[in-house]
Structures are given as structure tokens and as C-alpha cells.
């Protein structure tokens, strides 16, 4: 599509950098935002809808290589574009693991060929995600790895992890950790408490998260590495995170949209689409984590997009696979937090776009002149009932099937090119 | 009102009047089973398949006998979960069986919720014969019938459920049923075998056996589920027996006319002393087995009535 000048006007600009909402518009040119104006001007009329920086989603699972029947770069990219996600930061927990530069280059090429949105790959921290030997962090960074993670495999060998963190620090690499204490969490399908007890499900204490976090914080004090926690989901982990930040450690934290909008009771009669990792928490935990996003203690909201086919979900709850798709439902689900009064739109976009961009050293996440023209235009109030069979992902394992939602993406631009929505005026 | 269920998946779904209706009908079937001609025809022409993904002798025999006494054609399928895993998923197996047009499917499975899942995929009546650590509704119903016949009522009793509650589906179904019927529930056991959140359910939790048994009307012992344990819940069986095994000394803290129950099979000398188990004045363990057949006859009869009504309407 065109790379010529486009001016969008009469939009509600959601600016996470200033924390303000204003009526105005943007001019896009050569992939960048080149001008910003107040009020209404000549150009494409956005009808007063919200215009915000595109979402940067850290932790997307795309099942290439290995399980393309679950998700490909093409299908995930289409879902992302439809969901206002302009950058997918992908996970290395594929088959085989993305733990060497050659595999990473394959992934990067597939992404370039097939995805309409930006793809930034993460690589494994240890070879085969086995938790023993570190990967070629330097080569992988040269090949384009933006962060290193073993996904939900916790490196339980503390000596191996301390070495990897020390080495990563010397290369300036960002590590993404999963902080659920692995032995206590083994086999758990739910969070311990009344609900899990009545359902007879193997459960883990929410304290497992704090234990894992405490250990990793101690390792950060030792090594000074750059570290992001993939998901903080419990109230008991928050004071430790707060202290670590106050003590000046280079730590940030994320949370999945599912842990912000659902709780353990949603599992009801063993609905396996609600089986995620870590398991859904109590309502008290959910509320505490929402507050932590509002206060900025938790920096980043992600979809933790994890495609699973019907066969791996159509099993008894404890035997079913974990994970939910989220690229396309992240924005409307997150709008629940705005409609409930917990977050303002700029606060929400700070967590969806500005903070993840900053953490990865990207220029995006802003509406300032000179920033990439990665944008999403959405109607914040448009109501709809989600039909999972209309999702663009190859896998449709969403917990929001038949849920009432508000917030519909109208158009998405990546580098000034419209990648989703009905063509909006101007030269196409 | 009447019995309104399409399946018997758990006690949780039953209203008190439905529990009462099953027990009333089961009383009739106790009489039938004690008569010279033990045959009814409530299930005549119906096919009952017992699918046991987990080993069981007693429960399977009880369901088989219950079906045969009421005229059903009964087939037993022993399906260890591991052999299923080779090819078919649980849902595949269910669909295959469904195509054989069964009317009553009795299912036991090692995973909590597996029977609920199966019930969604078939169009016959499904009975849960135990799923993981979740529910075992016919066991709770037979326990209720035993208590009602021995104590003359099923409400305002003080009942202690003792032992390995964490791994027990019998305990879950029983505490739901006895709670619905407005009894006072005490859970007794080592904290490592006590599930989280029990106090929130309105149960009193005790870590001391004598304290827990004080003045109760009913003592329900549970089997120590060694096969469900993944290690290290108790230091040893002898220490467990010392602290939580039911012997005459501990039982003396219950009411003098308290009855002793056990779902079987028993580990004598682990959770219960042999002399208590065999004491015909206190132990009702043999009656429980007898009530089991009657309760299963009643449950299948009521489900079959609803199944026939549904099919006639369709």
C-alpha cells in the first residue's frame, strides 16, 4: 500500500507519554509520524474514535517451526493486525527450540515473508531450554534476538542461571523470566484454595510465585542483569517487586490480560480454555494486580498468546494443555479495565505500548513526531459478542468465546502502511 | 418437582429433595434385594456399559449387580487410562461407545472432571463412579442411606470425616451431601492431607483425632490413598496409625451410639483397627456395601425414567 503522506484527523489521540487524551490528528509520511495537530484539520476523518500507538506484545507464541497447524506467522500476523498489535515479540519455545542463530534467522525470514506486523524474536536463554548451558547470546543478538527466555521452563540450576545472567549483563541482553517455583508448581492445574479443593484439581499455592521472584531478585543483586518478569499474578509477589525496583535493580514486570480480567472461578466446570500458566488466581489477587498496573508497579500487559489445537484442549482439565490465544482479544479485553474505571486509556496504553517499547529499546509506543507510524484506530465503546470461530488465529482457544466485549479495532498501521481495516480515504 | 437430572455427575448438582427421592426409592430396593425374587424390570431393554479407566472391583461389581437386578443388559469395559493413551482420546472413546447406543454409561476415571467432559459428548445418561479427586456421588448417597437408616434421620447430626481428605473424592461428595442436608461437619486429619479452604466451606477442621471425634454421631473413616500420593505426606504408616488410626480409645470420645463407616477397601492397622472394623455394634461397613447396590439401582432407575421421557418427547 501507499507510503505517501496521509493525514488522520478528528481523532481522540491517546498519548501514553504525556498521559493525555486530546482531539487532533497525525500526519504519516515515510513510515513515521511527521506532524501532529490539535483540533480538526484537512484529512481523513477518524470520526472522533481513539487513535493510539500500536500494541507491543511481549511473549507471543507462534508455532513455527514445528507446529504450523496451530499457528503460523501469517495467521498470527493477521490476528495481530486485527487486534491492533503492531509488534509481536515472539517466544522461542517452539519445536525445535530457537536456541541458535540459524534457527533464529529462519524465523526472522518467515516473519518477513508472512507477517503484516513487526516481529521481534526472543531466543532461548539455555540450549534446548534445558536449563544447563547458556545459548550463544552474542551471536543471537547479532541475528536479531531482542531478549532471552526459556519461557515457562524455569532454570532451576541456580549456578547455571547466575552465569547466564552475568554473561547476559556483559552483552547488555534482556532476560525474561518465569518466576513460578518449579517444584512446588509441578503438576498444578489450579491455584490452591476452596475452588481447587472442591473441583479436586491438583493445585499450587500462590506463594510459589513469590518464591521464584525472591530467588531471581537475589540473583539480580548478584549479577546486575537486565530482567523482565513475564507475569506477576499474585498479591503476595508485589511487595518484593516494589522493593527490588526501589533498590534500583534493572527489573520490570508484566502480566497477561487473562490474569487481569478473569479469575479461578471462571474455570467453572473444568473449562479447559481457561487453563493457563500460571493458573488463574483468586479475585483478591486479580484486583491487586490490576491496582499494580494502575500504579505502574507492573509495567507491561501482554496477551501471552499461546495457540493450542482442539485435541490438546479437549481432555480432562489436568491433562489438557495450558495457554490461550490473545492477540485479537487483547485490546477489547483490556478495555474492560477502562470501562470498569480501573485504568485511564493513557494508563492502559502505557502498559500495552509505551513501556514494552522502552523496555526493548524501541522507538515505538509514542505519538510524537519522529516516532514510527505504528498506530491503532479503535472505537472504545463498540459492543460485540465474541465468536471464537471468527478469530484469525489458526487455533481458537480463547476464554472469551461468547463473552460480551466492548472496543473494536477499526484500522491498524505498521510503518505508515494500513494493515487492517477498511481502507481509509487517501491514495491507496 | 421430582428428580430432574439427565446425569449423575456429582452431588453438587443435586437439590435436597432429589437426594431424598433417590434415598426413598433405594429403601424400596433394599427390600427387593432382600426378597426371594430379586428382580425388577425398571431397566428392561436398556444397555448399561461400565467404563472403568481405573481399577475397581467393588464399585464395578455393585453397579453390575444393580443393573442386572433391574433387567439391564450390562457390559463391563476395563480401560486402564494408559492403554487409551496409545491412540484414542477420552472423547474419541466416548464417541465410539455412543455409536453403540448405550442407555446408561457408568464411568470411573483418574482425572477430576473427566466424567463431566464425557457426559457432554454422549446422548445417554452418565453416572460418575468416581473421577480423580473430585466426586463419587453414589458413595455419598449410599453413606447417606446407611446413616438415615441407622440414625433415623439425615439432618442435625454431628459427623466426623477422618483421614486422607486431600486425595478423597468420597470425602468431597460426602461433605457436599451432608452439608446440603444441614449436618455439622468435622474434618479430621494431618494438615498435609487436608485440602485448602475447607473452613470456608463451613467445616470445622481438626488436627487432633480425639478432639475431632468429641461427641459425634457418625465417624467416617477414609482409606489412606497410597496410590494417589506423590510422596511425603506422612512420615510413616505407623505414626499415622498412632495419631489418626481409629481404635477403641479414640472412638471413646464419640457418642456411645456413634456408628463407624468406611468406604472400603480398608487398610487395617493403618487408618482403622481391625477390632473396630469388625465390631458389629459399631461398624456399619457391611451395611454400606448392601446400601450401595440399592442406591445404584435407584439412581439408574430415576435416570432411566428421565431418559425415556426425553426420548419420548423428542
Amino acid at each position: 500500500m501507499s507510503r505517501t503522506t496521509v493525514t488522520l484527523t478528528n481523532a481522540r489521540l491517546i498519548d501514553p507519554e504525556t498521559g493525555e487524551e486530546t482531539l487532533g490528528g497525525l500526519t504519516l509520511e515515510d513510515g513515521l509520524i511527521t506532524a501532529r495537530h490539535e483540533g480538526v484539520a484537512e484529512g481523513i476523518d477518524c470520526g472522533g474514535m481513539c487513535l493510539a500507538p500500536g500494541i507491543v506484545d511481549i511473549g507471543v507464541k507462534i508455532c513455527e517451526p514445528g507446529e504450523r497447524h496451530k499457528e503460523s506467522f501469517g495467521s498470527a500476523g493477521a490476528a495481530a493486525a486485527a487486534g491492533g498489535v503492531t509488534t509481536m515479540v515472539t517466544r522461542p519455545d517452539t519445536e525445535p527450540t530457537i536456541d541458535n542463530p540459524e534457527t533464529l534467522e529462519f524465523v526472522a525470514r518467515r516473519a518477513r515473508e508472512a507477517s503484516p506486523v513487526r516481529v521481534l524474536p526472543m531466543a532461548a536463554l539455555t540450549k534446548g531450554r534445558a536449563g544447563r548451558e547458556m545459548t550463544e547470546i552474542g551471536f543471537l543478538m547479532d541475528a536479531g534476538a531482542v531478549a532471552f527466555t526459556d519461557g515457562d521452563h524455569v532454570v532451576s540450576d541456580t549456578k547455571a542461571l547466575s552465569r547466564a545472567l552475568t554473561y547476559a549483563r556483559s552483552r547488555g541482553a534482556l532476560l525474561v523470566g518465569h518466576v513460578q517455583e518449579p517444584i512446588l508448581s509441578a503438576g498444578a492445574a489450579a491455584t490452591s484454595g476452596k475452588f481447587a479443593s472442591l473441583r479436586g484439581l491438583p493445585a499450587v499455592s500462590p506463594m510459589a510465585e513469590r518464591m521464584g521472584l525472591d530467588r531471581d531478585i537475589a540473583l539480580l543483586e548478584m549479577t546486575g542483569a537486565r530482567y523482565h518478569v513475564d507475569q506477576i499474578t499474585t498479591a503476595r509477589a508485589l511487595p518484593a517487586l516494589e522493593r527490588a525496583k526501589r533498590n534500583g535493580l534493572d527489573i520490570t514486570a508484566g502480566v497477561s490480560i487473562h490474569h487481569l480480567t478473569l479469575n479461578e472461578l471462571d474455570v467453572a466446570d473444568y473449562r479447559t480454555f481457561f487453563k493457563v500458566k500460571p493458573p488463574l488466581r483468586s479475585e483478591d489477587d486479580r484486583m491487586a494486580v490490576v491496582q499494580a498496573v494502575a500504579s505502574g508497579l507492573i509495567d507491561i500487559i501482554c496477551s501471552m498468546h499461546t495457540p493450542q489445537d482442539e485435541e490438546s484442549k479437549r481432555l480432562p482439565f489436568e491433562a489438557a494443555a495450558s495457554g490461550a490465544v490473545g492477540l485479537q482479544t487483547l485490546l477489547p479485553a483490556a478495555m474492560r479495565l477502562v470501562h470498569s474505571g480501573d485504568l485511564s486509556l493513557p494508563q492502559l496504553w502505557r502498559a500495552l505500548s509505551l513501556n514494552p517499547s522502552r523496555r526493548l529499546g524501541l522507538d515505538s509506543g509514542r505519538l510524537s513526531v519522529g516516532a514510527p507510524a505504528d498506530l491503532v484506530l479503535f472505537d472504545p465503546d463498540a459492543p460485540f459478542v465474541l465468536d471464537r470461530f471468527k478469530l484469525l488465529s489458526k487455533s481458537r482457544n480463547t476464554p472469551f468465546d461468547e463473552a460480551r466485549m466492548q472496543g473494536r479495532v477499526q484500522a491498524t498501521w505498521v510503518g505508515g502502511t494500513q494493515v487492517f481495516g477498511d481502507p481509509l480515504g487517501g491514495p491507496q | 418437582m421430582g428428580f430432574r437430572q439427565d446425569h449423575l455427575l456429582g452431588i453438587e448438582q443435586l437439590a435436597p429433595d432429589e437426594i431424598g427421592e433417590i434415598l426413598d426409592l433405594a429403601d424400596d430396593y433394599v427390600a427387593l434385594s432382600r426378597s426371594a425374587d430379586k428382580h425388577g424390570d425398571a431397566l428392561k431393554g436398556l444397555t448399561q456399559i461400565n467404563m472403568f479407566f481405573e481399577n475397581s472391583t467393588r464399585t464395578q461389581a455393585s453397579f453390575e449387580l444393580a443393573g442386572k437386578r433391574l433387567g439391564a443388559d450390562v457390559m463391563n469395559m476395563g480401560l486402564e487410562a494408559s492403554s487409551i493413551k496409545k491412540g484414542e482420546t477420552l472423547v474419541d472413546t466416548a464417541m465410539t461407545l455412543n455409536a453403540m447406543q448405550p442407555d446408561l454409561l457408568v464411568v470411573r476415571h483418574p482425572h477430576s472432571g473427566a466424567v463431566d467432559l464425557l457426559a457432554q459428548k454422549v446422548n445417554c445418561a452418565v453416572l460418575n463412579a468416581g473421577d480423580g479427586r473430585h466426586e463419587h456421588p453414589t458413595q455419598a448417597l449410599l453413606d447417606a442411606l446407611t446413616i438415615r437408616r441407622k440414625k433415623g434421620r439425615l439432618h442435625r447430626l454431628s459427623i466426623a470425616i477422618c483421614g486422607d481428605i486431600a486425595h478423597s473424592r468420597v470425602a468431597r461428595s460426602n461433605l457436599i451431601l451432608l452439608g446440603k442436608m444441614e449436618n455439622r461437619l468435622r474434618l479430621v486429619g494431618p494438615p498435609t492431607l487436608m485440602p485448602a479452604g475447607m473452613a470456608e466451606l463451613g467445616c470445622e477442621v481438626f488436627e487432633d483425632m480425639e478432639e475431632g471425634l468429641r461427641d459425634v454421631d457418625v465417624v467416617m473413616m477414609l482409606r489412606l490413598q497410597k496410590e494417589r500420593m506423590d510422596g511425603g505426606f506422612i512420615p510413616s504408616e505407623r505414626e499415622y496409625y498412632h495419631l489418626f488410626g481409629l481404635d477403641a480409645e479414640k472412638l471413646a470420645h464419640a457418642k456411645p451410639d456413634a456408628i463407624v463407616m468406611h468406604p472400603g477397601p480398608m487398610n487395617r492397622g493403618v487408618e482403622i483397627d481391625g477390632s473396630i472394623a469388625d465390631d458389629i455394634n459399631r461398624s456399619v461397613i457391611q451395611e454400606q456395601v448392601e446400601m450401595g447396590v440399592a442406591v445404584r439401582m435407584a439412581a439408574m432407575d430415576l435416570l432411566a425414567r428421565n431418559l425415556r421421557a426425553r426420548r419420548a418427547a423428542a
Side-chain angles (χ1 to χ4, degrees), chain A residues 2 4-13 22-29 32-54 367 372-378 410-420 422-428:
Chain A
S2 87
T4 53
T5 305
V6 177
T7 296
L8 304 170
T9 189
N10 188 27
R12 201 170 140 197
L13 297 176
T22 50
L23 189 73
L26 301 172
T27 300
L28 321 181
E29 204 170 349
L32 301 176
I33 298 170
T34 53
R36 178 168 165 170
H37 63 265
E38 302 288 310
V40 181
E42 279 291 301
I44 299 164
D45 188 345
C46 294
M49 284 188 292
C50 293
L51 186 61
L367 291 184
D374 291 1
L375 299 166
V376 55
L377 180 70
F378 64 97
Q410 302 290 334
T412 306
W413 290 265
V414 175
T417 301
Q418 191 182 342
V419 295
F420 174 79
D422 293 333
L424 286 173
Q428 295 296 326

Side-chain angles (χ1 to χ4, degrees), chain A residues 186-187 191-203 269-272 311-320, chain B residues 12-13 89-91 109-114 116-117 120-121 131-135 172 175-176 195-198 200-201:
Chain A
T191 303
S192 63
K194 187 175 88 172
F195 175 78
S197 293
L198 274 178
R199 285 287 175 279
L201 291 173
D269 291 324
Y270 306 102
R271 296 157 74 188
T272 56
E311 285 68 40
S312 48
K313 282 288 188 184
R314 210 188 289 137
L315 291 170
F317 196 83
E318 40 192 298
Chain B
E12 198 180 354
Q13 292 89 344
T89 66
L90 174 66
V91 172
H109 196 281
H111 286 140
S112 302
D116 295 60
L117 176 66
Q120 293 162 19
K121 308 288 174 188
D131 63 323
R133 313 169 181 183
H134 179 219
E135 283 229 42
R172 279 172 185 73
L175 71 90
I176 297 169
M198 289 293 110
E200 290 170 57
L201 293 170

Side-chain angles (χ1 to χ4, degrees), chain B residues 79-94:
Chain B
L79 301 145
E80 291 282 315
S82 57
S83 68
I84 291 301
K85 270 189 187 145
K86 282 179 192 158
E88 284 188 324
T89 66
L90 174 66
V91 172
D92 289 334
T93 311

Side-chain angles (χ1 to χ4, degrees), chain B residues 31-105:
Chain B
L32 177 73
S33 295
R34 287 178 182 176
S35 68
D37 180 8
K38 295 178 171 28
H39 273 280
D41 59 3
L43 303 181
K44 197 170 167 219
L46 299 183
T47 302
Q48 172 192 341
I49 302 182
N50 297 333
M51 286 174 79
F52 279 63
F53 293 90
E54 210 178 54
N55 265 333
S56 157
T57 314
R58 308 156 60 99
T59 307
Q60 185 172 320
S62 181
F63 269 108
E64 183 176 357
L65 202 53
K68 284 181 171 165
R69 281 198 183 150
L70 292 179
D73 296 313
V74 185
M75 185 177 91
N76 289 316
M77 291 180 69
L79 301 145
E80 291 282 315
S82 57
S83 68
I84 291 301
K85 270 189 187 145
K86 282 179 192 158
E88 284 188 324
T89 66
L90 174 66
V91 172
D92 289 334
T93 311
M95 301 304 283
T96 307
L97 273 177
N98 195 44
M100 298 179 194
Q101 305 289 342
D103 304 291
L104 295 158
L105 213 49

